[in-house]
Amino acid sequence: TAVVPARSGTTAVVPPTRGHAIEVRLYAEDPAEGWRPSTGRLHAFEVPRVDAAFAALSGAGVRLDSGVEPGSVVGVHYDPMLAKLIAWAPTRDEAARLLADALTRARLHGVVTNRDLLVRVLRHPAFLAGETDTGFLARHDDVFAPLADPTTVRRAALAAALAGAAARRADARVLSGLPSGWRNVPSAPQSTAFDGPTGRLEVAYRFDRRGALAVATVDGDPVDVTLVEAAPDRVVLGSGGVRETFAVHLVDDVSYVDSTGGSVTLTEVPRFPLPGTGVAEGSLVAPMPGTVGRVAVATGDRVAAGDLLLTLEAMKLEHPVYAPGDGVVAELPVAAGTRVDTGDVLAVITHE
């Protein structure tokens, strides 16, 4: 116990420090892409096992201070911080585990966040040993890897496809009790393609007459699982006597898949895309909404890989756009002060 002077000239008794507290800041940004901010609508924002919100903890637990909720729009005009998550526990390791567990179970849909980076840091042996300083991220670049490994991504893609099949069967007006894709004799598997964190994923699956999963492949490679349950918002797969639950949240053509292995965002590829919807070869598109700041080139200029083309201003930061390779600036449809949305063409580089 310490005694310190109070403003009134009297003394105040300060209780002794007990335990350990750790705070993390959840941001709408992508650490693996140069900390690029992410904008959009939050379709889900849920952090389970929170013991207090904007209030003191009465014991070991997790506190959440958040300025957003489901439906909130993350724009370009303000700082991209979504929330602060604080854990207190008797030991530092316990506080780190509480925080990592709460973050892992969180449902954060609609924007890219730094959640995976925070979890990896909290679980890193160097962090738990107290070996942290301003060079921590430079020394331990493994913390930038997503939590969902390739196996989890493949199973999440299968779960999204099976959830979609279950949703279509639930909406069927006739024979809704039959397995999806049912035929009198075995036929070709059903297929769904997604754009995912590792690129395009081609999922194929076929049910037998009992509704069991007879065939399941991703990019032609078998996925060795059994189907325990499939609903529009939940798929349970079994493998080696272990069941894994995937929560699937479909928003338009995007499936947000959460599991203990990590969260995966998958965008379904249209089976019959409309013609003429792509952009010209060599186009550089805006990775986020913002305002064009400086323009360093003009139409007809020759550029080399890595040359600065222009900058985008969003969320109080300036984001450079570099030439991906050698070439000539064929088109430059923007100027300083131009407002752009995600996907708008910033420049077209013709490669020599």
Side-chain angles (χ1 to χ4, degrees):
T1 303
V3 178
V4 298
R7 287 187 177 182
S8 61
T10 61
T11 58
V13 177
V14 179
T17 301
R18 297 182 301 108
H20 292 257
I22 303 176
E23 173 187 299
V24 297
R25 298 189 176 191
L26 189 63
Y27 270 72
E29 64 184 8
D30 189 347
E33 293 293 333
W35 309 93
R36 186 175 68 201
S38 177
T39 60
R41 184 177 299 277
L42 284 169
H43 302 298
F45 185 86
E46 300 172 14
V47 184
R49 301 187 181 181
V50 169
D51 301 285
F54 291 103
L57 292 166
S58 59
V62 176
R63 163 180 165 170
L64 175 67
D65 295 352
S66 174
V68 297
E69 60 185 11
S72 295
V73 175
V74 180
V76 299
H77 302 295
Y78 304 101
D79 185 274
M81 185 169 69
L82 303 176
K84 298 177 183 178
L85 204 60
I86 308 102
W88 182 91
T91 69
R92 190 168 184 271
D93 282 8
E94 289 177 286
R97 283 198 299 271
L98 284 172
L99 266 185
D101 180 69
L103 286 166
T104 301
R105 297 174 184 274
R107 299 177 70 242
L108 311 170
H109 302 164
V111 297
V112 179
T113 72
N114 63 337
R115 180 257 304 275
D116 287 10
L117 173 87
L118 296 175
V119 172
R120 287 203 177 275
V121 170
L122 289 165
R123 291 175 174 172
H124 200 282
F127 176 83
L128 295 174
E131 299 169 1
T132 52
D133 53 38
T134 55
F136 181 89
L137 295 179
R139 291 196 306 273
H140 305 290
D141 58 0
D142 53 318
V143 298
F144 288 90
L147 289 177
D149 60 21
T151 297
T152 298
V153 171
R154 286 159 48 84
R155 292 185 178 183
L158 175 61
L162 296 177
R168 289 189 291 273
R169 295 312 302 156
D171 291 340
R173 300 195 177 193
V174 295
L175 301 177
S176 59
L178 290 180
S180 176
W182 186 86
R183 298 289 188 275
N184 283 325
V185 294
S187 184
Q190 300 179 80
S191 63
T192 306
F194 297 100
D195 281 330
T198 57
R200 184 160 175 149
L201 297 161
E202 299 278 353
V203 181
Y205 57 94
R206 180 169 58 81
F207 300 101
D208 64 18
R209 294 191 176 196
R210 297 175 292 107
L213 196 60
V215 174
T217 65
V218 176
D219 292 336
D221 297 325
V223 182
D224 187 18
V225 294
T226 58
L227 178 59
V228 179
E229 175 188 342
D233 60 352
R234 169 186 161 98
V235 172
V236 182
L237 302 176
S239 178
V242 177
R243 294 185 176 185
E244 187 172 12
T245 300
F246 296 85
V248 182
H249 180 200
L250 180 63
V251 180
D252 297 327
D253 58 350
V254 180
S255 292
Y256 300 97
V257 186
D258 297 303
S259 70
T260 56
S263 298
V264 181
T265 301
L266 301 160
T267 303
E268 186 170 350
V269 178
R271 186 167 296 182
F272 304 106
L274 295 174
T277 57
V279 296
E281 183 179 356
S283 296
L284 300 178
V285 299
M288 60 189 172
T291 301
V292 176
R294 296 179 293 131
V295 178
V297 295
T299 303
D301 285 357
R302 292 183 179 275
V303 294
D307 283 353
L308 176 68
L309 302 178
L310 52 87
T311 62
L312 276 180
E313 297 173 358
M315 293 183 175
K316 303 190 296 183
L317 297 174
E318 184 179 76
H319 307 277
V321 177
Y322 299 108
D326 298 347
V328 176
V329 180
E331 297 180 31
L332 193 63
V334 298
T338 302
R339 292 273 303 158
V340 296
D341 289 322
T342 303
D344 286 353
V345 176
L346 302 175
V348 178
I349 305 298
T350 302
H351 298 289
E352 298 181 323

